[in-house]
């Protein structure tokens, strides 16, 4: 009886101990993965080959105090490294994006032998804890000795350049070269690539062999910044461009470029032409937008729209500053369109164009501010329009305003600027309505354009409103 009872108890104890050990190891493993330290290699789409260069990175999500570097042995050749770097990455935890800072040190390596090769592990010590990279294996294929199908060429998107201008040349190969930074020779100058990119496309097989690649296409591009000496023929050659250790002959690659500057005895007319066309387009747009408003009566338009109607001249004055800001990217684009149609330039939206985005945003902000200044302010009155006209005339005499128009529907006046004024003067508008009047003041639209009113327009409106409120008190007594 005792044996029958003890055996199940022993089995239960054994299972409990095993469960505790599994849980302990699981907790250790989960604790280990809280601060991961791992390896990463930029393997190509079509695999890893002997003799080609690859970037091997070691990433850690905490700042480490010390590091035990990897031992590459005699199967992997280190070309460059370690290169330390700090990288901000974005990860998804429980469906939410989270950013973390990674400490990275990278190597540029080359595999010397085919087969399954274990990448060398490394360890770091952070806050008294040691973190080791988990093992990572790479299957290295033998070097491809047949380069008959390899095709490399040098091209440029620019066919027109100016002397001293930098243009971009691209070296394109349909197979990954051994070296990650092939050099271009132009006369006595040698250029390193400023960037690189790769593309790979394929079609999966059908039937049982669905994992096979069909019609696979590769493309590797290396970009170079070349400073021009003007128009002419540029002859390029490549250095350290090899495939499977076999040099690829890329000699006497020719690019023809033409000078863009077309001078004439009368000088360069490009600026004049662009300015004339641009000014005509801007004026034409403003005319189409505002010429109908100029034909409407001031009072009826204000009562319907609640803002001041503008003629084309007034609109050019009122919106002069935002028009100046938006003309910077506009004339820049217009100049490039002119060169595109007359000289065949292909870089229509080259990077400098995007510098015009800042003045464009500023122009929109200033336009919104200028647009709000056209809105009238309603003020309730309980007296007649004749009394209101007296109030306006008294306020004009007190503040040295000149009344330009005084009718039964509206009153228009203007101020006089002096040498201490920050503006060229202001205009004051009063429109009569039933039981109220609409008042407004803007920078004088018959004079020069001013970007800001410096509080003068609001002061004029406040003075007029205070005069109306004083008269209201007198009428009520």
């Amino acid at each position: 009886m005792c044996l029958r009872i003890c055996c199940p108890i022993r089995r239960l104890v054994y299972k409990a101990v095993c469960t505790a050990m599994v849980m302990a190891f699981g907790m250790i493993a989960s604790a280990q993965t809280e601060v991961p330290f791992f390896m990463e290699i930029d393997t190509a789409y079509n695999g890893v080959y002997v003799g080609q260069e690859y970037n091997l990175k070691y990433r850690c999500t905490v700042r480490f105090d010390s590091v035990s570097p990897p031992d590459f042995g005699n199967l992997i050749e280190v070309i460059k490294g370690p290169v330390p770097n700090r990288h901000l990455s974005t990860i998804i935890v429980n469906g939410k994006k989270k950013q973390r800072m990674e400490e990275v040190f990278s190597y540029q390596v080359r595999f010397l032998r085919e087969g399954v090769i274990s990448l060398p592990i490394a360890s770091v010590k952070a806050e008294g804890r040691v973190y080791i990279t988990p093992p990572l294996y790479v299957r290295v294929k033998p070097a491809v000795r047949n380069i008959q199908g390899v095709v490399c060429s040098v091209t440029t998107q620019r066919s027109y350049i100016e002397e001293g201008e930098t243009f971009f040349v691209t070296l394109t190969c349909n197979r990954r070269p051994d070296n990650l930074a092939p050099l271009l020779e132009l006369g006595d100058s040698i250029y390193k690539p400023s960037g690189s990119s790769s593309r790979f496309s394929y079609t999966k097989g059908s039937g049982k062999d669905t994992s096979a690649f069909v019609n696979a296409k590769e493309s590797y591009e290396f970009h170079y910044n070349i400073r021009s000496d003007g128009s002419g023929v540029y002859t390029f050659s490549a250095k350290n461009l090899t495939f499977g250790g076999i040099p690829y002959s890329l000699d006497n690659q020719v690019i023809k470029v033409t000078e863009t500057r077309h001078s004439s005895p009368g000088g360069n007319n490009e600026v004049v032409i662009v300015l004339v066309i641009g000014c005509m387009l801007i004026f034409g747009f403003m005319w189409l937008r505002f010429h109908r408003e100029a034909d409407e009566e001031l009072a009826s338009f204000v009562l319907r729209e609640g803002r001041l109607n503008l003629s084309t001249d007034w609109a050019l004055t009122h919106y002069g500053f935002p028009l100046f800001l938006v003309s910077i990217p506009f004339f820049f684009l217009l100049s490039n369109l002119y060169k595109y149609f007359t000289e065949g330039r292909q870089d229509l939206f080259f990077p400098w164009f995007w510098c015009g985005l800042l003045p464009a945003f500023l122009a929109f902000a200033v336009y919104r501010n200028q647009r709000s200044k056209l809105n009238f302010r309603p003020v309730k009155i309980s007296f007649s329009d004749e009394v209101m006209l007296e109030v306006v005339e008294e306020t004009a005499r007190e503040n040295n305003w000149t009344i330009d128009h005084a009718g039964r529907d509206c009153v228009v006046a203007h101020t006089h600027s002096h040498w201490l004024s920050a503006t060229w003067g202001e205009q004051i508008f009063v429109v009569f309505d039933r039981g109220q009047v609409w008042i407004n003041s803007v920078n004088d639209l018959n004079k020069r354009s001013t970007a800001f009113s410096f509080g003068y327009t609001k002061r004029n409106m406040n003075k007029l409103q205070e005069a109306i409120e004083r008269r209201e008190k007198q009428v009520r007594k």
Side-chain angles (χ1 to χ4, degrees):
M1 184 68 179
C2 181
L3 293 175
R4 294 178 181 177
I5 295 176
C6 290
C7 289
I9 291 176
R10 289 176 181 175
R11 285 195 293 269
L12 290 175
V13 172
Y14 176 76
K15 291 181 179 180
V17 172
C18 292
T19 303
M21 292 177 65
V22 171
M23 292 178 63
F25 283 119
M27 293 176 64
I28 295 173
S30 63
Q32 179 74 9
T33 57
E34 288 179 2
V35 185
F37 181 45
F38 56 93
M39 292 179 283
E40 185 178 271
I41 187 168
D42 65 335
T43 56
Y45 293 103
N46 58 347
V48 178
Y49 290 87
V50 172
Q52 292 184 347
E53 296 178 7
Y54 300 92
N55 288 320
L56 174 61
K57 298 180 180 180
Y58 292 80
R59 297 179 176 271
C60 187
T61 58
V62 295
R63 281 192 173 185
F64 45 80
D65 303 322
S66 61
V67 57
S68 296
D71 182 11
F72 288 92
N74 57 359
L75 300 180
I76 303 176
E77 177 187 358
V78 178
I79 301 171
K80 182 181 179 181
V83 178
N85 189 17
R86 185 175 294 176
H87 177 71
L88 184 64
S89 62
T90 302
I91 60 175
I92 298 178
V93 180
N94 297 327
K96 297 182 179 180
K97 290 184 178 180
K98 181 180 178 182
Q99 289 187 333
R100 66 180 183 186
M101 185 65 68
E102 293 182 350
E103 299 287 340
V104 182
F105 56 96
S106 57
Y107 295 86
Q108 193 169 324
V109 300
R110 179 188 291 122
F111 295 94
L112 304 178
R113 196 183 70 181
E114 62 179 288
V116 178
I117 296 179
S118 175
L119 297 179
I121 62 174
S123 63
V124 295
K125 188 175 183 180
E127 299 180 354
R129 300 181 63 181
V130 177
Y131 300 94
I132 304 174
T133 55
L136 182 63
Y137 299 90
V138 176
R139 184 176 184 84
V140 182
K141 301 178 182 179
V144 179
R145 300 299 180 182
N146 182 12
I147 65 170
Q148 293 182 357
V150 176
V151 178
C152 295
S153 60
V154 175
T155 57
T156 181
Q157 295 182 349
R158 301 281 299 278
S159 57
Y160 294 86
I161 61 173
E162 297 180 1
E163 184 177 355
E165 184 180 7
T166 299
F167 65 102
F168 305 98
V169 172
T170 302
L171 170 64
T172 306
C173 298
N174 65 341
R175 190 177 299 175
R176 180 188 176 112
D178 298 337
N179 196 299
L180 292 177
L183 305 177
L184 273 189
E185 273 188 314
L186 177 61
D188 297 331
S189 302
I190 297 178
Y191 295 90
K192 295 181 180 179
S194 59
S196 62
S197 60
S198 61
R199 293 190 299 270
F200 184 81
S201 62
Y202 65 91
T203 304
K204 286 189 175 182
S206 58
K208 297 181 180 179
D209 196 13
T210 56
S211 61
F213 291 167
V214 180
N215 298 325
K217 294 182 179 180
E218 308 173 62
S219 179
Y220 298 89
E221 295 181 351
F222 303 91
H223 311 286
Y224 304 82
N225 300 331
I226 309 297
R227 185 174 179 83
S228 72
D229 297 327
S231 60
V233 177
Y234 292 80
T235 304
F236 295 93
S237 300
K239 294 186 66 175
N240 67 344
L241 182 62
T242 62
F243 296 86
I246 302 176
Y248 182 88
S249 178
L250 184 72
D251 297 327
N252 301 326
Q253 289 283 310
V254 175
I255 295 178
K256 295 182 180 180
V257 292
T258 306
E259 181 68 41
T260 57
R261 295 176 180 173
H262 302 287
S263 58
S264 60
N268 191 351
N269 296 324
E270 175 190 336
V271 176
V272 177
I273 294 174
V274 170
L275 286 176
V276 170
I277 295 176
C279 292
M280 291 178 60
L281 290 175
I282 293 175
F283 182 83
F285 171 78
M286 298 296 286
W287 182 84
L288 290 175
R289 171 64 180 83
F290 293 103
H291 79 282
R292 292 184 179 179
E293 290 187 10
D295 297 334
E296 296 194 41
E297 294 183 356
L298 172 66
S300 60
F301 186 89
V302 171
L303 294 178
R304 185 179 74 251
E305 301 292 340
R307 66 174 178 86
L308 179 66
N309 57 328
L310 301 176
S311 64
T312 304
D313 292 339
W314 279 14
L316 290 172
T317 302
H318 187 68
Y319 292 115
F321 190 61
L323 283 174
F324 168 73
L325 290 174
V326 80
S327 66
I328 297 174
F330 175 71
F331 280 104
F332 198 39
L333 176 61
L334 200 63
S335 175
N336 282 273
L337 285 172
Y338 176 82
K339 292 180 180 179
Y340 177 78
F341 288 110
T342 59
E343 302 172 4
R345 291 185 63 164
Q346 300 298 319
D347 54 341
L348 182 59
F349 295 99
F350 56 89
W352 285 108
F353 169 74
W354 304 112
C355 297
L357 289 179
L358 178 59
F361 284 128
L362 290 175
F364 179 75
V366 177
Y367 162 77
R368 296 289 296 178
N369 182 55
Q370 291 293 94
R371 171 62 179 80
S372 64
K373 293 179 180 179
L374 300 177
N375 297 329
F376 277 67
R377 179 193 299 177
V379 180
K380 298 291 184 180
I381 59 173
S382 60
F383 42 79
S384 64
D385 294 345
E386 289 76 8
V387 176
M388 182 63 210
L389 183 58
E390 294 178 2
V391 172
V392 176
E393 291 176 346
E394 292 177 2
T395 307
R397 285 194 297 270
E398 292 174 359
N399 296 278
N400 194 27
W401 297 350
T402 299
I403 295 180
D404 302 316
H405 171 79
R408 301 183 60 181
D409 54 351
C410 65
V411 178
V412 180
H414 72 272
T415 66
H416 299 276
S417 62
H418 51 84
W419 67 277
L420 291 177
S421 300
T423 67
W424 300 103
E426 304 84 44
Q427 288 176 292
I428 300 96
F429 300 91
V430 180
V431 176
F432 300 107
D433 196 3
R434 292 181 180 179
Q436 64 180 353
V437 291
W438 297 83
I439 62 175
N440 193 8
S441 178
V442 297
N443 292 329
D444 199 331
L445 300 174
N446 294 316
K447 297 183 179 179
R448 299 178 185 178
S449 179
T450 306
F452 307 99
S453 61
F454 300 99
Y456 288 99
T457 55
K458 289 186 178 180
R459 184 185 62 180
N460 296 334
M461 296 171 65
N462 292 335
K463 288 180 178 180
L464 191 57
Q465 186 171 354
E466 290 172 0
I468 295 173
E469 292 174 352
R470 287 196 301 268
R471 181 58 63 91
E472 283 284 348
K473 292 180 181 179
Q474 295 175 2
V475 172
R476 289 174 183 175
K477 291 181 180 180

